Amino acid sequence: MKTRELSKRLGALVGAGLLATSLSFSASAQERDSFSIAWSIYVGWMPWQYADDSGIMKKWADKYDIEVDVVQINDYIESINQFTAGQFDAVVATSMDSLSIPAASGVDSTALIVGDYSDGNDGVVSKDAATLADLKGTTVHLVELSVSHYLLVRALDSVGLEERDINVVNISDADLVSAFQTDDVRTVATWNPLLSEIEAFPDVTKLFDSSEIPGHIKDLAVVNTEVLEQNPNFGKALVGAWYEVMSIIQSDTEEGREARATLGENSGTDLAGYEAQLAATRMFYEPSSAVEFINSDQARDAMDAVRQFSFEKGLLGQGAMSPDFVGIEFPDGSIMGDEGNVKFRFDDSFMQMAADGEL
């Protein structure tokens, strides 16, 4: 897996300074019949490839008399940058990156599909430490400002430590596995499939993983809000196609197994490898489950923790004086942050239509 998994989740190093703040989406957001979504390789986003290759996306687009171009972008952060710049109408991204790149750059963005959250796909592994408390005074290598960095901060907090109690060293995800095989690198925080490779080394201990902060690392399909408002059929087609694919992916049928095997192969592993990653992912196969989750206190609390981290790390931009800088709207209409600067929204109405059989 040398694509999205190896460039995944670089938490907005280019974030709020992006030029898209000054872009106008009025021209691209008008009523039209052709749209695009950018995706990158990750266990929870591979279904978009299946939707495209199988013709399911086309079937749903045809139903609403539109066209939807499903485009793979090998560089995850670049796909979000392109969405932010208006080159795509939708993109797949984590909640943290959605907040810290397009939303913080002034692009009003809507989380249309809450696809999953990491439930063990991200973790902290050490050669020396037996517990998280043992990390005090040691060095941890990770992709700085990524969700691995976020995971580490949450892990330290769980045992009363702070980031200043350790030494964080930035390392490229492409170099992480090979670096861990040297004597100099003793502890790392990373994601799958890198995490699985590192856990397979002898005499290592996994100290913490994302199953201990359920709901914090959410994977979404995000749509430009103005585009969605002007073209609700685009949202209906995306959601309809997604949940049809979900019904196949989760099924214990020959079709389901073939689909999972194909997606595993296309992402650099095999059926067993892909299913192992699915097992470490809380997939919302049913739209009703996604709706229930995103309306929960758990989801709100997790989003609050994410925005606090994003502010502390400067990911909300130079103009952000507090975590409230970007307003985040939840499905019930409540707003976390600045009500006058709402740029990130969770809209469950399309998922609810899918749950009610109304698409």
Side-chain angles (χ1 to χ4, degrees), residues 182-252:
T182 69
D183 288 337
D184 294 336
V185 178
R186 313 302 298 176
T187 303
V188 298
T190 190
W191 53 77
N192 269 325
L194 309 182
L195 180 63
S196 295
E197 291 185 58
I198 288 170
E199 280 189 273
F201 293 143
D203 302 320
V204 300
T205 302
K206 183 167 71 174
L207 305 175
F208 191 88
D209 68 33
S210 52
S211 68
E212 299 178 70
I213 51 168
H216 282 243
I217 303 175
K218 293 184 283 293
D219 294 313
L220 315 169
V222 179
V223 181
N224 177 277
T225 301
E226 192 175 352
V227 171
L228 183 63
E229 289 176 348
Q230 294 292 326
N231 303 275
N233 282 346
F234 175 45
K236 292 178 182 179
L238 288 179
V239 172
W242 176 260
Y243 286 111
E244 181 171 342
V245 172
M246 287 296 98
S247 69
I248 296 170
I249 297 297
Q250 71 166 331
S251 68
D252 187 22

Side-chain angles (χ1 to χ4, degrees), residues 39 57 60 62 74 79 81 104 124 126 132 152 156 183 190 219-220 222 257 263-264 272 293 296 309 313 348 357:
W39 70 279
M57 185 72 258
W60 280 89
D62 288 347
N74 287 339
S79 71
N81 290 343
V124 181
S126 181
L132 285 169
L152 176 65
L156 294 172
D183 288 337
T190 190
D219 294 313
L220 315 169
V222 179
R257 286 187 291 274
L263 296 184
F293 167 71
S296 68
F309 173 86
K313 297 301 177 184
D348 68 352

Side-chain angles (χ1 to χ4, degrees), residues 98-328:
S98 299
L99 173 66
S100 62
I101 304 183
S105 299
V107 177
D108 199 321
S109 306
T110 294
L112 181 73
I113 300 171
V114 181
D116 67 83
Y117 63 74
S118 177
D119 197 27
N121 269 323
D122 301 76
V124 181
V125 178
S126 181
K127 298 173 183 174
D128 304 317
T131 68
L132 285 169
D134 296 335
L135 291 180
K136 186 172 183 178
T138 69
T139 296
V140 179
H141 287 71
L142 48 71
V143 178
E144 231 175 343
L145 304 182
S146 69
V147 291
S148 294
H149 200 157
Y150 175 79
L151 179 82
L152 176 65
V153 170
R154 296 279 77 81
L156 294 172
D157 181 65
S158 72
V159 293
L161 294 177
E162 298 181 13
E163 189 175 342
R164 64 186 180 185
D165 294 320
I166 64 168
N167 179 39
V168 170
V169 174
N170 185 43
I171 186 170
S172 166
D173 47 6
D175 298 330
L176 197 143
V177 175
S178 58
F180 192 71
Q181 298 177 67
T182 69
D183 288 337
D184 294 336
V185 178
R186 313 302 298 176
T187 303
V188 298
T190 190
W191 53 77
N192 269 325
L194 309 182
L195 180 63
S196 295
E197 291 185 58
I198 288 170
E199 280 189 273
F201 293 143
D203 302 320
V204 300
T205 302
K206 183 167 71 174
L207 305 175
F208 191 88
D209 68 33
S210 52
S211 68
E212 299 178 70
I213 51 168
H216 282 243
I217 303 175
K218 293 184 283 293
D219 294 313
L220 315 169
V222 179
V223 181
N224 177 277
T225 301
E226 192 175 352
V227 171
L228 183 63
E229 289 176 348
Q230 294 292 326
N231 303 275
N233 282 346
F234 175 45
K236 292 178 182 179
L238 288 179
V239 172
W242 176 260
Y243 286 111
E244 181 171 342
V245 172
M246 287 296 98
S247 69
I248 296 170
I249 297 297
Q250 71 166 331
S251 68
D252 187 22
T253 63
E254 186 61 29
E255 183 183 23
R257 286 187 291 274
E258 288 180 357
R260 294 190 296 274
T262 298
L263 296 184
E265 180 180 349
N266 290 343
S267 57
T269 181
D270 54 18
L271 174 61
Y274 189 70
E275 290 182 339
Q277 290 180 44
L278 281 174
T281 309
R282 174 60 171 94
M283 296 293 298
F284 295 114
Y285 292 112
E286 302 292 338
S288 57
S289 298
V291 170
E292 181 181 4
F293 167 71
I294 202 56
N295 283 282
S296 68
D297 289 341
Q298 176 191 14
R300 290 180 65 94
D301 293 346
M303 201 64 228
D304 187 29
V306 165
R307 75 181 187 128
Q308 298 285 348
F309 173 86
S310 298
F311 171 69
E312 291 165 6
K313 297 301 177 184
L315 300 180
L316 300 184
Q318 295 180 347
M321 295 295 103
S322 79
D324 290 332
F325 176 67
V326 177
I328 303 169

Side-chain angles (χ1 to χ4, degrees), residues 21-102:
T21 309
S22 62
L23 292 178
S24 169
F25 285 88
S26 57
S28 63
Q30 63 189 353
E31 186 176 350
R32 52 190 228 266
D33 59 10
S34 180
F35 307 90
S36 60
I37 178 171
W39 70 279
S40 36
I41 290 180
Y42 172 64
V43 57
W45 294 333
M46 292 303 299
W48 286 111
Q49 181 178 41
Y50 188 84
D52 191 32
D53 292 347
S54 66
I56 290 174
M57 185 72 258
K58 183 180 187 305
K59 183 186 83 171
W60 280 89
D62 288 347
K63 178 177 180 178
Y64 293 104
D65 296 319
I66 63 174
E67 294 181 0
V68 178
D69 193 15
V70 180
V71 182
Q72 180 184 350
I73 304 294
N74 287 339
D75 187 321
Y76 166 62
I77 288 299
E78 180 58 24
S79 71
I80 307 177
N81 290 343
Q82 290 185 30
F83 166 76
T84 305
Q87 296 174 31
F88 288 96
D89 302 299
V91 69
V92 296
T94 67
S95 53
M96 189 174 96
D97 294 328
S98 299
L99 173 66
S100 62
I101 304 183

